[in-house]
Amino acid sequence: MKEGQPIPNNEAKTEFELAIERQVGDIIESIREMRINERRKLVKVKHGKPMKVVSHWPFIGRHRPPQLLSKEEVNKLVDEALK
């Protein structure tokens, strides 16, 4: 979270934040504050196995998997966008 931005209180939690809380089993404020390496250690101690990150494809709004582009292709896309 960027400095200077207020941390939302419990009354202002979005459905997305509430879904994350349900899935992770912790409050959103704790999730935001805890570093990922600390969370991994905590999960390993709590469950006795390493943390597993699951990605459900496709992400919302994506119609195809991400593309790996060469430097030349990226430069060509940037040039076209700047025209």
Side-chain angles (χ1 to χ4, degrees):
M1 180 174 288
K2 294 182 181 178
E3 282 188 25
Q5 290 183 339
I7 296 174
N9 60 23
N10 290 344
E11 297 169 0
K13 288 182 183 176
T14 65
E15 284 298 315
F16 180 69
E17 291 170 326
L18 293 171
I20 290 173
E21 286 183 345
R22 285 190 301 271
Q23 194 68 26
V24 174
D26 202 352
I27 61 172
I28 198 74
E29 290 80 8
S30 173
I31 296 168
R32 283 187 178 116
E33 291 172 4
M34 188 177 292
R35 300 174 80 182
I36 189 69
N37 62 333
E38 294 169 359
R39 174 127 347 247
R40 286 179 187 273
K41 289 176 188 174
L42 181 68
V43 167
K44 188 171 183 176
V45 168
K46 184 176 179 181
H47 298 286
K49 56 186 177 180
M51 184 169 87
K52 181 179 177 183
V53 178
V54 178
S55 173
H56 297 280
W57 190 263
F59 294 115
I60 296 171
R62 292 215 167 174
H63 301 288
R64 58 186 177 173
Q67 301 172 17
L68 298 177
L69 303 174
S70 68
K71 181 179 176 182
E72 292 77 23
E73 291 170 313
V74 170
N75 287 338
K76 181 180 175 185
L77 289 172
V78 169
D79 289 341
E80 289 173 8
L82 293 175
K83 286 183 182 178

